[in-house]
Amino acid sequence: MVKGAQRMLWGAATSSYQIEGAWNEDGKGESIWDRYAHTPGRIKDGKTGDVACDHYHRYKEDVALMKRIGLDAYRFSIAWPRVLPEGRGATNARGLDFYDRLVDELLANDVLPFVTLYHWDLPQALQDRGGWPQRETVAAFVEYTDVVTKALGDRVKHWITHNEPWCAAVLGQLIGVHAPGARDAESALRTAHHLLLSHGAAVPVIRANSPDAEVGITLNLIPAVPASGSAADYDACRQYDGHINRWFLDPLYGRDYPSDMVRDYGRKGYMPDGELVFVEADDYRTIAAPCDFLGINYYMREICRSDDVAEEENLPREIPVPGSELRTDIGWEIYSEGLFDILYRVHATYRPPKLYITENGCSYGDAPDADGRVRDERRIAYLRDHFAAARRAAEQGVPLAGYFVWSLMDNFEWGEGYTQRFGLVWIDYETGERILKDSAYWYADFIEGTRTALTSTLFSGAWPGYVHNGAG
Ligand code: FCB
């Protein structure tokens, strides 16, 4: 039953390892990211998340910043080894208590908590038993989910099981540039499968412990386009899309793994005997558990050029590849239209009841000027253009319900260490001082405008595509 429109939520996102610090305090166990960052040569600037933004100690100050910006919602993740230091078994009450206090602080400041259960910091104890390539990690994730959602499920009403399973599987287990730093194709496929399976197995547990909550998963999706009209480039595009988008979307929406990719992976020797031996009866049904929303993280598109044929034998490129002026500091192309493309495509093809953009943002190193102000105009332009693309998608009927800027504050950018600054808030890593960048003030005005309709009629009130049919 249609009950009228719901206000679009405007938020910001972070993750535990990237901001918390306190890596071994109050009984926290070691995570695979602790181990990985402590290994010399793994992180670009040789730094770690040991202290990061010291959010563990400064969370009240950080919630006050959210309040100042006027965020409707805040997406953060829980560090599994803070709650279960050994991955399974004994709960660490002090670790759980941190999240309990954080949730209360958010609610007291009118900020809705969106909680991600897994943003890559697996307990090292589980890694020592084989980690995500092992099926028993699925059961461990479900137990962990049960502990967290029992403790917070009365107050947290938005749950995200996993963040970007592609990154955990491919960057972590195939290319080895994220923790645990493995390089093995079959382990990557097993990891992806067990992440998806653990998502589906966790959904009913969350629903039981957190009545009336919304449950979903977050994927990093990348719209792919062929560089030319050649058959080879089209096929490169099919493969890229299959690898990053369809391999995850298809099973989540009841279509099993895409057969063209199963064939390709078999040919590449990714699976012993060319078969998905780790898929058991009923797995697909478990993975496709009905969810309330899909979270999409959008940063870039991919222009696909075949390397199966020599460049000179292929058609000339038709998609211009823009120069460095159209890239952010991390080297990612700025292409706001791709956000429209991926939103519309997911809506048209898979029909999730609701979509959230759970991450979008840009890395720019703009530092405080002599007067202490951070003039990050490029971030403002980036956000404005991407918000407009999202708005166009909503006007075309995409059920978009919220938008989370990555990130609330500068933080530890995985293998890049502290060399990339994605924040609305500047962090001085020497002193821990926080400074709202110009983009944070702009976002504050923007959000205020959506509430009052005084400054921004374009973005005000309910968005056109989204019709709320839940309670309230
Ligand atoms: C995403 C991650 C997030 C952050 C951004 C820049 O892939 O989910 O933690 O690193 O990229």
Side-chain angles (χ1 to χ4, degrees), residues 415-434:
E416 302 289 318
Y418 296 97
T419 64
Q420 303 298 325
R421 290 182 177 267
F422 277 90
L424 295 164
V425 175
W426 170 271
I427 301 282
D428 180 329
Y429 293 109
E430 296 296 312
T431 62
E433 190 194 352
R434 280 100 165 108

Side-chain angles (χ1 to χ4, degrees), residues 170-204:
V170 174
L171 303 181
Q173 307 270 353
L174 179 67
I175 310 177
V177 295
H178 274 191
R183 292 182 185 208
D184 178 69
E186 199 203 338
S187 298
L189 287 176
R190 283 179 180 273
T191 294
H193 185 64
H194 294 148
L195 288 165
L196 289 169
L197 189 61
S198 68
H199 153 78
V203 170

Side-chain angles (χ1 to χ4, degrees), residues 18 119-120 163-164 297 299 332 359 406 413-414 422:
Q18 294 178 276
H119 201 126
W120 309 346
N163 178 69
E164 304 189 347
N297 292 354
Y299 289 98
W332 299 347
E359 286 179 30
W406 184 271
E413 178 49 31
W414 310 112
F422 277 90

